[in-house]
Amino acid sequence: MSTSRFPIALHILTLLNEAKGSVVSSAYLAGSINVNPVLVRKEIMNLRQHGFVESKEGKGGGSFLAKNAKDINLGEVYQSVSGSKILGQHKNEPNPKCPIGRQINQHLDTLYSAAEQALINNLSKQTLADFAAMFE
């Protein structure tokens, strides 16, 4: 996972929540996040595919939340943007003759999966409304 996808998605959703149903342009969102609008549009496409955001095309177009912020679970947002394991993967093949090397990758996978599940469980206890309340 690109380490910036979750914070960008959460920033977008928080701004859309603050807009209270008004349509917000990708240029405005990009200006707040300080990233290229193309990155914002790509993330909005993903958020739309997962049912968090809806968009209006054309002049005066933009995006808005597809559902109430209290119905948007942060664990689900994280899962919508995570493409690979948070702690990565071991790239090389260790020596299969080594008692550690021949088993390390399977044990790392177990360790990493447990850590990621703990992160998802923690995030799942929070909603976008909870997060957005920090900015009031």
Side-chain angles (χ1 to χ4, degrees), residues 15-24 63-65:
L15 286 167
L16 295 180
N17 179 65
E18 182 153 321
K20 303 200 183 318
S22 296
V23 174
V24 181
S63 299
F64 53 96
L65 289 181

Side-chain angles (χ1 to χ4, degrees), residues 85 87 107-120:
K85 296 182 180 181
L87 297 175
H107 295 304
L108 285 173
D109 286 344
T110 301
L111 180 70
Y112 292 176
S113 292
E116 185 155 36
Q117 192 58 54
L119 172 65
I120 292 167

Side-chain angles (χ1 to χ4, degrees), residues 80-125:
S80 80
V81 298
S82 64
S84 62
K85 296 182 180 181
I86 191 168
L87 297 175
Q89 287 186 303
H90 199 57
K91 298 257 185 221
N92 68 334
E93 288 296 320
N95 183 343
K97 294 178 182 175
C98 172
I100 303 299
R102 72 174 162 252
Q103 299 179 56
I104 189 102
N105 284 338
Q106 73 187 51
H107 295 304
L108 285 173
D109 286 344
T110 301
L111 180 70
Y112 292 176
S113 292
E116 185 155 36
Q117 192 58 54
L119 172 65
I120 292 167
N121 290 344
N122 187 352
L123 289 171
S124 294
K125 295 175 186 172

Side-chain angles (χ1 to χ4, degrees), residues 5 7 23 25-26 31 34 36 38 40 49 57 59 62 66 77-79 82 103 106-107 109 113 119 125-126 129:
R5 285 196 66 197
V23 174
S25 72
S26 58
N34 201 24
N36 189 303
V38 171
V40 169
Q49 287 175 341
E57 307 235 349
K59 186 173 180 165
V77 174
Y78 172 80
Q79 289 176 302
S82 64
Q103 299 179 56
Q106 73 187 51
H107 295 304
D109 286 344
S113 292
L119 172 65
K125 295 175 186 172
Q126 301 172 67

